[in-house]
Amino acid sequence: MAESPARTAFAEEALTHLDTLYRGALRLTRDPDQAQDLVQEAYLRALRYQHSYQQGTNMKAWLFAIMRNLFWDRFRGSRKEDVSLDDVGEFVLYDKLKDEGARPEADVLDKLAASEVVKAVEKLPPLHREVVLLVDVEGFSYKDAAQTLGVPIGTVMSRLHRARQQLQRSLYDYAVESGIVRANGGQQVQQ
Amino acid sequence: MNCKDCSEKLDRFVDRELNSTEVLELQLHLESCPDCQDHYEFEAHLKRLVKHSCECDTPPAFRDKLRQLLT
């Protein structure tokens, strides 16, 4: 079926944000096949509701919102209940490394494998993971992230704060397990 | 600004969410405090690490399939 020029132009513009959607879907579902299904469904829905997109507004945020809403509906059930990170406790990786004499602290970051960082992100509860994806990976402002997720800016900030604490704790645990740092005051292991 | 205030605002500084007055205050503090400057560089480095680690390309076959489906 021949598509209208307007629909084709809209689809082309929407496809310029495909990498953002695919990355987000992959990190949310943690499965390439499910990610592709999710993204395809999101694009089909976006075209169906093209009229609800306001020209000149943030199309990337609009598309991401469609994709993550589908994720919650299709893959997680419609209830946005999530594992709480309230009891994660304060954990600042920089302070931890400094206390343990692993200097310079940034060297530890250089030794962390990218695959382990991805694992740490994917271990976050989805409601917290999606904030990290928007703010840290896609560079969204707090305001755009709040709009995308349909929550107040304060919620974005608190989820981001807790997510980063948990993420840093996971990276620290990995650094200890893999011998990049020694817990409890040991020196950094040269690799 | 003291080190505690700086530490509390560091996330928002790294995320470019402070207003211009707060940015100036924080930058002045960082210039005079090597510890906080070190901490700032660590947090900025960590943010870049998360971004680069999570980046991935859309599989070309999927991109082509989607384009065909939508246009």
Side-chain angles (χ1 to χ4, degrees):
Chain A
M1 189 177 74
E3 302 293 355
S4 73
R7 180 185 154 106
T8 301
F10 183 83
E12 287 292 354
E13 188 183 348
L15 282 169
T16 62
H17 304 296
L18 177 57
D19 284 336
T20 291
L21 258 68
Y22 181 74
R23 270 195 295 269
L26 182 63
R27 300 304 167 216
L28 284 174
T29 62
R30 300 179 284 199
D31 179 276
D33 291 336
Q34 286 192 353
Q36 291 187 16
D37 286 348
L38 182 60
V39 170
Q40 181 171 314
E41 190 61 33
Y43 271 99
L44 289 173
R45 184 174 284 201
L47 282 189
R48 204 176 313 135
Y49 294 100
Q50 178 181 342
H51 57 274
S52 71
Y53 171 69
Q54 292 181 310
Q55 278 296 332
T57 58
N58 188 337
M59 185 184 265
K60 192 197 284 191
W62 183 73
L63 290 167
F64 200 100
I66 292 174
M67 186 274 288
R68 60 84 63 178
N69 286 338
L70 271 172
F71 167 76
W72 284 102
D73 290 346
R74 300 277 166 86
F75 291 86
R76 305 281 304 181
S78 56
R79 292 177 312 156
K80 294 182 178 62
E81 289 176 6
D82 204 359
V83 177
S84 168
L85 287 182
D86 286 351
D87 56 355
V88 73
E90 285 292 309
F91 187 92
V92 181
L93 182 59
Y94 175 82
D95 290 343
K96 188 79 179 163
L97 295 175
K98 196 172 173 181
D99 288 348
E100 295 183 352
R103 293 191 70 91
E105 297 83 358
D107 279 6
V108 174
L109 296 181
D110 289 333
K111 290 177 181 152
L112 295 173
S115 58
E116 292 299 327
V117 179
V118 170
K119 263 190 216 170
V121 170
E122 291 186 344
K123 252 171 58 181
L124 292 170
L127 275 180
H128 292 80
R129 199 185 318 150
E130 61 187 6
V131 181
V132 170
L133 294 175
L134 287 174
V135 176
D136 283 345
V137 181
E138 303 303 335
F140 277 42
S141 65
Y142 294 170
K143 187 180 165 198
D144 283 347
Q147 204 172 356
T148 304
L149 302 175
V151 297
I153 286 182
T155 304
V156 167
M157 290 168 68
S158 62
R159 283 185 191 163
L160 189 61
H161 180 72
R162 291 192 190 113
R164 283 175 171 163
Q165 303 251 318
Q166 181 59 44
L167 187 66
Q168 293 189 13
R169 189 182 290 273
S170 295
L171 293 177
Y172 173 75
D173 290 344
Y174 164 69
V176 171
E177 282 164 20
S178 58
I180 294 171
V181 294
R182 282 189 205 150
N184 306 318
Q187 291 296 307
Q188 185 176 337
V189 174
Q190 295 299 316
Q191 293 195 334
Chain B
M1 178 177 285
N2 59 33
C3 294
K4 185 172 175 286
D5 296 334
C6 176
S7 175
E8 283 172 2
K9 289 186 173 174
L10 215 45
D11 271 0
R12 284 188 289 144
F13 182 62
V14 170
D15 293 333
R16 300 178 181 214
E17 293 283 348
L18 294 179
N19 66 40
S20 53
T21 308
E22 290 172 315
V23 167
L24 192 62
E25 284 174 354
L26 199 133
Q27 281 174 332
L28 283 172
H29 178 77
L30 292 183
E31 280 172 22
S32 64
C33 179
D35 280 350
C36 287
Q37 175 69 27
D38 201 31
H39 189 182
Y40 157 64
E41 285 171 10
F42 182 86
E43 296 298 337
H45 190 155
L46 183 55
K47 186 177 165 92
R48 285 196 302 274
L49 179 67
V50 170
K51 177 179 170 59
H52 293 150
S53 299
C54 288
E55 279 177 342
C56 64
D57 292 331
T58 308
F62 175 59
R63 181 183 290 276
D64 292 345
K65 180 187 154 196
L66 202 56
R67 171 161 279 120
Q68 212 162 16
L69 185 71
L70 302 177
T71 59

